[in-house]
Amino acid sequence: MPDKKAKALPKKKAPPPKRKSKNEPMLYAAPPEERVLRVTTPMEKIVRDEMKTLGVKLPDLVVWKIADKVHDMNLPVKTIKKILEAVCIRFETHVVDPTESAGIIAAQSIGEPGTQMTMRTFHYAGVAEINVTLGLPRLIEIVDARRVPSTPMMEIHFPHDVAKSVEAVQKVVSEIELTKLIDVADIETDIANMQILVHPDMPKIKARGISMDDIETALAKKGRVKSEVEQVGEDKFIVKSGELSYKKLQQLLEATKNTKIKGIEGIVRAILKKEADGYVVYTEGSNLARVLQLEHVDKTRTTTNNILEINDVLGIEAARGSIIREAHRTLSEQGLLVDIRHIMLVSDMMTSDGDVKAIGRHGISGRKSSVLARAAFEITTNHLLRAGIIGEEDHLGGVAENIIVGQPVTLGTGAVNLVYWPKKEKDKAKEKETEKDKDKEKETSKEKEKEKDKPKEKEKDKEKEKEKDKEKK
């Protein structure tokens, strides 16, 4: 008998990671490192059962917080019920009223703390070597959706086994950091012979993990200026200009200085920092797409402060999360507590079309459907002239256009329409309704009678058929 092949056993799935402590809730817009799969506790089940009996619904975050705080108190079910009732009352007061002007409240809640923010640039928290734009300039950058921020930087994380060893992280740093020839060599110009002399600095080369062959291949790559490369001895290169011209020699000097030997384009500097989980790398400059292709990089936690780059690489949902996180961090660093829901509303407005838009003339305010709203914001005459030429219509749905026209705004009490009926018309309407109801009742009664008569008619038909059969016989 031929031996049957043994079936491969299915691999066991790893259990979901638990939170570090009970008092560590999960935020709505939590960064990837804080996003944890929660295991339901017995107390949470009790809280949810009590909610069912009360007929109440609360967000998961609130339920988790209640369960965590009540966990070690050994409270009876009655007291838990009372706590839930009190929480529900508080929660209902915090819920936004129907037809509330949420946009204006969000604008005030972010704009007012913005007046208290500093205008200076500080060092990044914990890394003194990297200068990062903070305060009001950073908030303006986020809201304006700038293509490149004034100080782009990345936060590169590693898996736990790699993050603990300095050597492994240092290897990745040497791959990431952009190394130009000027960083590892002394460059001179020999005007008499119309050539450039390159003297590599051996200690620097060894520190950055570069060989002489790497320098030779980098110099041999043909750039915009024609040149010939020769190696003289072990520690000297001669770059000869193809054309006998001082201008071309100067251009060749600049080209050789900026020759890329190693690293990722855009990342100027990388700095190691030890944290609780291990080493983290902070970079000056950003190139998310290339960094995520590296082998020993944790792709789930590595981030950049360039929102539009995140949109290009990871998509619009990641960009939305990045706007929320960056704006919240910028405000909280200044000690300003703004409800995250206001920031979420702004980020939703910026990313609702599937692309990151600025809040301004080139973004949301400039793309409003209302002509009067656009004219009220900026460049009044241009908007009105264009609308007149095209023949645009304004349905007066927003706030600004209704104020301009002098109508009540369709928000709050203005969103509700009250209808007054005089007595005579009211009575007529009631009479019509009663007549309609009577007609409906008559129709339904007729249908019921028909249904009752159906079996009798069937019996009569059967009797007639029997009589016909008898006559035939």
Side-chain angles (χ1 to χ4, degrees):
M1 289 288 284
D3 293 332
K4 288 181 180 178
K5 286 183 180 179
K7 287 182 180 179
L9 291 166
K11 289 180 182 178
K12 285 184 179 180
K13 287 182 180 178
K18 293 180 182 179
R19 293 178 306 157
K20 291 172 190 174
S21 66
K22 293 173 194 171
N23 302 322
E24 192 185 345
M26 196 165 77
L27 295 169
Y28 281 119
E33 65 268 18
E34 290 176 27
R35 230 171 265 163
V36 184
L37 293 170
R38 183 181 168 106
V39 180
T40 51
T41 57
M43 183 51 72
E44 196 179 314
K45 284 180 182 177
I46 292 163
V47 171
R48 289 194 187 280
D49 291 338
E50 288 304 312
M51 278 167 62
K52 279 182 184 177
T53 53
L54 289 166
V56 173
K57 283 186 178 181
L58 289 170
D60 288 337
L61 184 65
V62 178
V63 175
W64 295 340
K65 278 187 176 179
I66 293 164
D68 285 339
K69 286 187 178 178
V70 176
H71 190 267
D72 298 323
M73 292 182 183
N74 295 324
L75 296 172
V77 180
K78 281 184 180 179
T79 50
I80 292 167
K81 209 171 189 178
K82 283 181 181 177
I83 290 162
L84 276 170
E85 284 171 358
V87 168
C88 288
I89 292 160
R90 288 287 296 276
F91 182 74
E92 280 170 13
T93 55
H94 284 273
V95 171
V96 177
D97 297 321
T99 69
E100 179 65 86
S101 53
I104 294 163
I105 293 163
Q108 286 175 341
S109 303
I110 296 166
E112 193 278 325
T115 60
Q116 299 173 37
M117 294 177 89
T118 53
M119 297 291 286
R120 289 174 291 164
T121 302
F122 290 95
H123 293 296
Y124 186 72
V127 184
E129 292 90 346
I130 293 179
N131 238 14
V132 179
T133 310
L134 298 174
L136 191 65
R138 177 63 186 145
L139 194 67
I140 292 163
E141 270 181 9
I142 295 161
V143 168
D144 281 355
R146 300 260 172 93
R147 173 54 60 184
V148 180
S150 54
T151 51
M153 70 158 277
M154 286 187 74
E155 196 176 309
I156 302 165
H157 291 264
F158 304 94
H160 294 293
D161 54 339
V162 178
K164 284 173 184 176
S165 73
V166 189
E167 292 166 3
V169 176
Q170 198 70 51
K171 265 189 181 180
V172 179
V173 169
S174 64
E175 286 177 36
I176 291 167
E177 204 168 23
L178 183 67
T179 307
K180 291 180 180 178
L181 191 62
I182 192 73
D183 300 327
V184 291
D186 297 321
I187 300 163
E188 297 173 11
T189 48
D190 184 2
I191 296 167
N193 298 316
M194 294 294 282
Q195 61 189 17
I196 292 161
L197 306 172
V198 179
H199 302 282
D201 192 337
M202 298 312 286
K204 283 183 182 178
I205 285 169
K206 281 180 182 177
R208 300 215 181 196
I210 298 164
S211 65
M212 294 293 278
D213 295 332
D214 293 334
I215 295 169
E216 194 175 354
T217 50
L219 285 168
K221 281 180 184 175
K222 287 186 178 180
R224 286 180 292 176
V225 186
K226 289 181 180 179
S227 60
E228 292 175 7
V229 183
E230 285 181 28
Q231 187 172 354
V232 181
E234 290 183 1
D235 57 346
K236 193 178 177 183
F237 290 97
I238 295 171
V239 183
K240 290 180 179 178
S241 176
E243 296 175 29
L244 297 172
S245 158
Y246 290 114
K247 191 182 177 183
K248 291 287 179 187
L249 187 68
Q250 186 63 33
Q251 284 176 356
L252 185 62
L253 176 66
E254 290 300 318
T256 47
K257 277 182 180 178
N258 296 319
T259 303
K260 181 193 162 187
I261 298 165
K262 199 179 183 184
I264 293 168
E265 204 69 53
I267 294 171
V268 183
R269 207 149 54 102
I271 289 161
L272 274 172
K273 192 198 169 193
K274 194 173 185 181
E275 290 184 359
D277 296 340
Y279 286 96
V280 178
V281 173
Y282 293 95
T283 68
E284 198 175 309
S286 175
N287 192 337
L288 187 65
R290 285 281 291 106
V291 169
L292 291 177
Q293 287 172 7
L294 294 172
E295 194 179 343
H296 298 296
V297 171
D298 190 349
K299 293 166 181 66
T300 56
R301 293 187 293 161
T302 300
T303 57
T304 172
N305 67 349
N306 190 342
I307 293 156
L308 286 160
E309 193 180 1
I310 287 171
N311 180 37
D312 295 339
V313 177
L314 300 172
I316 195 69
E317 282 295 329
R320 177 188 172 273
S322 177
I323 292 165
I324 295 165
R325 189 167 58 253
E326 288 289 325
H328 195 260
R329 187 197 287 170
T330 306
L331 289 160
S332 57
E333 274 170 357
Q334 301 281 309
L336 302 167
L337 296 170
V338 176
D339 196 312
I340 202 163
R341 288 179 291 178
H342 301 313
I343 298 162
M344 284 169 81
L345 182 65
V346 171
S347 66
D348 285 338
M349 280 299 296
M350 287 175 74
T351 57
S352 60
D353 290 355
D355 189 29
V356 181
K357 300 190 299 295
I359 294 173
R361 143 175 28 157
H362 302 295
I364 294 160
S365 300
R367 293 184 197 175
K368 279 183 179 177
S369 59
S370 169
V371 181
L372 292 172
R374 274 181 276 140
F377 183 66
E378 268 181 358
I379 329 166
T380 311
T381 50
N382 289 15
H383 283 301
L384 293 173
L385 275 168
R386 197 180 290 114
I389 293 159
I390 297 163
E392 280 189 63
E393 287 183 5
D394 199 328
H395 298 286
L396 307 173
V399 179
E401 49 267 40
N402 277 306
I403 291 166
I404 291 162
V405 174
Q407 287 183 359
V409 179
T410 56
L411 286 170
T413 52
V416 182
N417 292 324
L418 294 172
V419 181
Y420 171 68
W421 277 7
K423 273 191 176 181
K424 287 180 182 177
E425 286 185 13
K426 230 182 191 182
D427 295 335
K428 282 178 185 177
K430 276 185 180 178
E431 282 173 10
K432 281 180 182 177
E433 281 178 7
T434 49
E435 282 174 9
K436 280 179 183 177
D437 291 335
K438 282 177 182 177
D439 292 337
K440 279 181 182 177
E441 282 175 8
K442 281 178 183 178
E443 284 174 7
T444 50
S445 61
K446 280 179 182 178
E447 283 174 3
K448 282 178 182 177
E449 283 174 5
K450 281 179 182 178
E451 284 175 1
K452 282 179 183 177
D453 294 338
K454 274 181 183 178
K456 288 179 182 179
E457 285 174 3
K458 282 180 182 177
E459 284 176 7
K460 283 179 181 179
D461 293 334
K462 281 179 182 178
E463 284 174 4
K464 281 179 181 179
E465 283 175 3
K466 282 178 181 178
E467 284 174 4
K468 282 178 182 179
D469 292 334
K470 281 178 182 178
E471 285 173 3
K472 282 177 183 178
K473 283 175 182 178

